[in-house]
């Protein structure tokens, strides 16, 4: 793949190195030529000085042959404008923009521009480390409606099929972490001893899910 990155800060330069190490072609844009000092000496990608939503700059970066565009500069407006230009002018379907203001992230998500809300993501990562297990979801969509959460369960649920777990809790079993590997279950896959259970559900429903799984299947049937 050819991937264009706007912003050669710590995030942009790190992404550029990782993508190149994985065999992808990379072009990175920054208005400050000094920013390219963050790139390692052996970086083979294009370095393009300019504004990431300027058509000539994007064309120099190879946007017309790009399969993905990433906007991770320090400015919310620049990131979202450039992402929209990449998608709407040059037809790049796979775009993502870093946004610092989570309120803006929700708006742009509704416009079809995937965003990473830096403040919200950072807060979630910190909360996951300081609050008790299961108190904070692993991921939430920008509107906060849907969450992915690791949930604990009563050992009585071991041997229960994924489809029966879903019926009991009213959410989707996203995957089991089984001996360090992610297992995406079919409806007949059973919860085994030692599995770490991950559920996708509406955030407001998580208290109910935790309550159900802290009990037993028999208690659920009684209710």
């Amino acid at each position: 793949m050819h991937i264009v990155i706007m912003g050669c800060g710590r995030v942009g330069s790190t992404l550029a190195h990782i993508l190149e190490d994985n065999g992808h072609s990379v072009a990175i844009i920054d208005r400050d030529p000094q920013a390219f000092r963050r790139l390692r000496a052996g970086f083979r990608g294009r370095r393009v000085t300019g504004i990431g939503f300027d058509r000539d700059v994007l064309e120099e970066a190879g946007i017309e042959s790009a399969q993905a565009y990433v906007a991770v500069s320090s400015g919310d407006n620049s990131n979202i404008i450039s992402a929209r230009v990449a998608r709407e002018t040059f037809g790049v379907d796979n775009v993502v923009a870093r946004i610092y203001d989570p309120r803006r992230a929700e708006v742009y998500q509704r416009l079809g521009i995937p965003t990473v809300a830096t403040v919200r993501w950072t807060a979630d990562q910190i909360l996951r480390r300081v609050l008790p297990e299961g108190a904070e979801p692993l991921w939430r969509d920008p509107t906060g409606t849907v969450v992915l959460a690791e949930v604990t369960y009563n050992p009585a649920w071991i041997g229960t099929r994924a489809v029966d777990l879903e019926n009991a809790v009213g959410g989707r079993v996203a995957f089991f972490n089984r001996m360090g590997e992610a297992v995406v279950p079919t409806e007949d896959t059973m919860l085994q001893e030692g599995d770490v259970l991950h559920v996708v559900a509406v955030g407001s429903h998580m208290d109910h899910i935790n309550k159900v799984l802290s009990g037993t299947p028999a208690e659920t049937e009684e209710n």
Side-chain angles (χ1 to χ4, degrees), residues 19-153:
L19 290 167
E20 188 172 78
D21 288 344
N22 281 282
H24 299 291
S25 168
V26 180
I28 188 160
I29 300 168
D30 202 289
R31 66 175 65 195
D32 180 6
Q34 297 300 314
F36 299 126
R37 291 183 175 182
R38 293 189 175 92
L39 298 170
R40 62 193 174 199
F43 179 70
R44 300 184 302 275
R46 305 181 203 177
R47 300 169 174 85
V48 182
T49 302
I51 300 172
F53 47 83
D54 182 279
R55 291 189 56 164
D56 292 337
V57 170
L58 288 169
E59 288 173 357
E60 184 180 348
I63 193 68
E64 292 170 318
S65 61
Q67 285 77 47
Y69 181 82
V70 180
V72 288
S73 77
S74 59
D76 283 5
N77 290 336
S78 295
N79 287 342
I80 203 64
I81 291 171
S82 66
R84 293 192 67 178
V85 170
R87 169 170 285 178
E88 297 168 13
T89 302
F90 293 99
V92 181
D93 291 329
N94 191 9
V95 302
V96 63
R98 179 172 68 172
I99 301 296
Y100 285 90
D101 185 344
R103 294 168 298 181
R104 289 183 177 182
E106 295 174 13
V107 173
Y108 295 133
Q109 193 81 12
R110 295 191 190 104
L111 294 175
I113 302 294
T115 59
V116 177
T118 305
V119 174
R120 176 71 260 182
W121 184 87
T122 302
D124 283 349
Q125 295 300 304
I126 293 170
L127 287 169
R128 284 182 54 204
R129 287 162 174 76
V130 300
L131 294 179
E133 183 179 8
E136 184 68 15
L138 302 173
W139 171 89
R140 69 177 75 235
D141 80 298
T143 67
T145 302
V146 178
V147 299
L148 168 67
E150 175 185 320
V151 294
T152 57
Y153 53 87

